[in-house]
Amino acid sequence: MSDLALLVEDLWVEYPARRGVVKAVRGVTFEVHRGETLALIGESGSGKTTLGLALVRLLPKAARIKRGRIMYYRNGTSQDILALNAEELRRFRWQECAMVFQGAQNALNPVLRIEAQFLDTARAHGLSDANAVRERAVELLKMVQLDPQRVLHSFPHELSGGMRQRVLIALGLLLQPQVIILDEPTTALDILTQRSIIEVLRRLRAQLDFSLIFISHDLSLAAELADRVATVYAGAIVEIGSVYDIFERPRHPYTLALTRSVPTVTGDMHPLASIPGSPPDLIAPPLGCAFHPRCPLATDQCKREEPPLERVGKEQMAACWHWREVNP
Amino acid sequence: MTIARGIIHWFRQTLGLIARNKVGFLGFVGLLFFIVLAFVMPLFVPLDKTSRVDKIYSPPSAEHILGTDFQGRDIFSLVVHGGRDVIVIAFLTGAISTLIAVVLGSTSALLGGAVDSAIMAAADFWLAIPTFPLLAVLATQIKLNDVWLLSLILALLSWATLTRAIRSQVLSLRQRDYVEAARSLGMSNGHIIFKEIMPNMMSYIAISLVFAMTAAVYAQGGLVFLGLLSFSDNNSWAVTIQLAWTRGAIFFKDSFLNIMAPVIAIALFQLSLVLFTRSLEEVFNPRLRTGV
Amino acid sequence: MMADPSLRAGDTSPNGDRPNAAEPSTPIIELDHVSRVFEQRRRRVKAVDDVSLAIQEGEVVCLVGESGCGKTTTGKMIAGLIHPSAGEIRYAGRDIWAMGKAEFQRYRLAVQLIHQDPYASLNPAHTVYGIMSAPLLQHGIAANHRQARERVRDLLSTVDLTPPDDFLDKYPHQLSGGQRQRVSVARALTVSPKVIVADEAVSMVDVSIRVSLLNMLTRLKRDLGVTFVFITHDLAVAKHFAWEGRIAVMYLGRIIEVGRTPQVINHPQHPYTRALLSAIPEADPRITRTKERLQLRSLDIPSLLNIPSGCSFHPRCPWFEEGLCEVSVPPLADVGADMRVACHVVARERAKEAA
Ligand SMILES: Nc1ncnc2c1ncn2[C@@H]1O[C@H](COP(=O)(O)OP(=O)(O)OP(=O)(O)O)[C@@H](O)[C@H]1O
Ligand SMILES: Nc1ncnc2c1ncn2[C@@H]1O[C@H](COP(=O)(O)OP(=O)(O)OP(=O)(O)O)[C@@H](O)[C@H]1O
Ligand code: SF4
Ligand code: SF4
Ligand SMILES: [Mg+2]
Ligand SMILES: [Mg+2]
């Protein structure tokens, strides 16, 4: 496919821990196309952040990528980022793919003005023309609905959480990456601030040409912004498809349960379905289908054999033995 | 039977927790060594009291493994017998000052108001007095050869700082949601102090106690060294150092061990205490203990 | 009075006996012009400002609003854990801070608070049994440990921690966030409270666990007839929990709109409530992408140290009218349909309609 931007194949990531090995990412495969927005949703501890960090090779030292391939495509060339050396990696980050971390509002350097943070980032990647960088920064800050003159000369603590999040998004776009990853971009922000971030992302996507991967436990963010959605459970993608497929015709019992468990304010009161049991232990994930202890459709086969991610619709894949019986 | 088993389980678990931290475990082994040295060894090694003019500052030999001192006495026996009082005084001092601090500090924090102000004013006042000189003066007036009395007086040196520290610790724990929940459930003040707050302060208190002990070792050493304190039968590491010093041991190169053996003993003992605090964190961490 | 569109069959509305204005009965909790100011390094933070609210026995009232608007402070004042700086809080008609010792203790036990953070609200040094048996033994609800154990087992089953014996000897750190929150609730139930103030009780647990926790609380509300003050920043959660009750929306320390839940959710009056509701992203792509949004004039949330004059929402309000809104504080006025709204413009429009 010519419009492929990113391809991940059979990726496994582990963390050693006292009690054993945490299998945080277990055989993940997916692709992202140019200009597309993919949402990775799943509950806390399901391995979303670990997956995001692996895509830019910024995993903590302890983590091990056991297996897999991560390919970035641009202008007909491809790059296997698991094979890059330190120097190539540095260039790759930010220019090919930038990541805005979870809780990053607190990650800006507190003693540097915003302008200096833009200049430093640019310099670290070999852009030394300060005026050009400044111009670009002004342009980007306007795009994220901030007043560039005020913001550039402020220290991080002088800005609200939502403003800092927007600064980080602008900073991420500085080197015109092809792919940008946002980890929980609206978590811990107030509703009205969340709204402004959503609008900013929507506007940016219309104006610039990049692929967006965002990670969130908040399904409504995916409903707002995503073209495609992937459900992550116990370190694996259990379903992936268009946003309408996922919300309206889910084929995996977990996706179904998740979408039915979120209350909405618009519309009638419908009873909320609860998901029984508790999240899986990633050190010793359940055998067979990892969701089986909580699944209403589980059979003996589910307890023994792990279901493969298979095609269940035109552009929809699910990992469930009994996907045909899942009735939304 | 079950009680015995419970106790055994508790000991094994505690030992396991101590061993979790390598550095702390080293300190623990060091402390064990000193306890054996000071309390068991004296049963086997008699204190050498005879002066031998022919053997002044003799180097280590099979007979005297650490050599002899300025009077020709066996240094090893001095080291063995010099530990008991140092350790006992350190422990008593630490225990007394911590007890005072816990009682005053938590009263101050929990009652607040006038009581708090009074206790804090007293502590501030105490901190403003140059206590060590005061103690020195006191030592010349009262004969301080009673271990208990000495410990009590040394404890007075450090209660003020410790009380302040405990108070601020209690103040911060008092803000915890679970303490608020206990208040909401109408629990008594006693319950809140002893069941909600104290269990979460044990590691802090234990560590404070150990540091108070190290301070007490230095304080008694200082007093002895200045000649303000004497022990009835001259059996303390501090006394050994002081005698070696005043008899001019530092001027003889052969006298190196006479002065260094007790210095090293004190230093290693202090080091063991400090290292051991690392394990205390683990021992008192409820997360690491499972039910008996 | 509005009829409650009750969804679940057999669900008797706890507000069925809510008195009409004609026959007032004593509310179980009443806030009467309550304010709370915090002094912080010589700066005064007005966390709660002139809040009045009456809560009837068996009712569910949700306090909603953005971070820092004073929800927790209000909740803790209701539970008698924080003193108001001004105003009076009454329990069954009696000023709680004028009560004698014994009466205050009875009130204190009758109103229990569930904290937001399940990781901070249970003492790490005690087991579940230790945590829950302490109030039982202290207040003589259980005569001895054997009785206490029985009671603790019952309560753990009530909050769906089954089998209870698996949990009795666990320490909080051995439990998940959702399980801890259940223990918190069970602990509050030891003293058979009449009122539970649940402060963001479900905010910190995962989506997949949240619903079962909410359902459990709903069941308690129904089975035990407990009055609930449910604090949340999530209007969708408020809607689901308090559909048969009321919602009070707070902004910068004040209640700016209060009414029956279906009314507030479906026909909000105050521009702030409208903005909030329209801004909420929904977990349904078709709804959320076509929702009408109310634009604010400014995104900046004013500081509590420097509250705007007049209507504190005026710098952000799309309906702002100069010479009116920034001049005087709009009172929380009746606008019909059992709703009260603090907005000059809404009050004027309703008056016109009535005329
Ligand atoms: N540095 C680390 N060392 C060991 N284990 C880790 C480390 N970071 C994460 N983990 C474990 O890996 C698993 C996946 O964590 P990750 O942070 O990727 O989840 P997440 O889906 O992003 O969760 P959240 O929604 O809470 O951010 C978890 O079980 C976590 O405990
Ligand atoms: N003990 C205190 N001392 C000083 N200021 C306080 C104190 N408690 C709360 N405040 C301030 O009062 C305001 C209201 O706080 P409160 O916790 O009631 O808000 P909230 O609506 O519960 O917010 P959140 O949704 O973030 O929990 C905040 O600005 C807070 O900083
Ligand atoms: S494979 Fe079986 S257990 Fe897993 S989700 Fe499908 S039905 Fe449920
Ligand atoms: S009083 Fe004025 S500023 Fe305040 S909400 Fe109403 S219209 Fe807006
Ligand atoms: Mg994460
Ligand atoms: Mg709060």
Side-chain angles (χ1 to χ4, degrees), chain A residues 43-44 190 192 195-196 220 223-224 226 244 247-248 261 263-270 272-275 294, chain C residues 7 66-67 206 208-209 211-212 235-236 239-240 243 265 279 281-286 288-289 293 296 299 316:
Chain A
E43 55 200 308
S44 180
D190 275 323
L192 296 170
R195 172 56 50 200
S196 71
S220 51
E224 281 273 354
Y244 295 103
F247 279 94
E248 290 166 5
S261 70
T264 54
V265 282
T266 311
D268 294 337
M269 268 281 287
H270 61 83
L272 299 176
S274 66
I275 306 179
R294 305 170 78 183
Chain C
L7 274 162
E66 292 178 277
S67 178
D206 236 306
S208 76
I209 323 271
V211 175
S212 54
L235 272 158
K239 168 187 166 188
H240 276 262
W243 188 250
I265 295 290
E282 304 266 28
D284 181 322
R286 285 188 210 278
T288 204
R289 291 176 194 209
R293 314 262 179 229
L296 293 185
L299 285 173
R316 308 170 74 190

Side-chain angles (χ1 to χ4, degrees), chain C residues 68 97 99 119 266 277 285 288 317 320 352:
Chain C
W97 294 107
M99 286 178 177
Y119 289 86
N266 295 330
L277 280 163
T288 204
C317 181
F320 170 69
K352 258 191 224 156

Side-chain angles (χ1 to χ4, degrees), chain A residues 14-17 22-25 42-53 60-63 102 183-184 215-217 232 235 280-283, chain C residues 206:
Chain A
E14 297 181 345
Y15 296 102
V22 182
K23 302 173 192 74
V25 175
E43 55 200 308
S44 180
S46 56
K48 307 179 300 292
T49 296
T50 307
L51 177 56
L53 291 171
K61 280 221 169 55
Q102 184 168 8
D183 193 358
E184 307 278 5
I215 295 171
S216 183
H217 67 269
V232 181
D281 175 8
L282 290 186
I283 289 178
Chain C
D206 236 306

Side-chain angles (χ1 to χ4, degrees), chain B residues 6 45 132 152 192 223 274:
Chain B
V45 182
F132 196 80
L152 188 66
I192 290 178
L223 287 179
V274 173

Side-chain angles (χ1 to χ4, degrees), chain C residues 270-272 311-315 317-321 324-326 328 330 342-346:
Chain C
H270 196 283
Y272 174 68
C311 171
S312 51
F313 187 52
H314 85 253
C317 181
W319 300 354
F320 170 69
E321 284 184 23
L324 175 68
C325 298
E326 84 282 22
S328 63
C343 169
H344 292 305
V345 172
V346 171

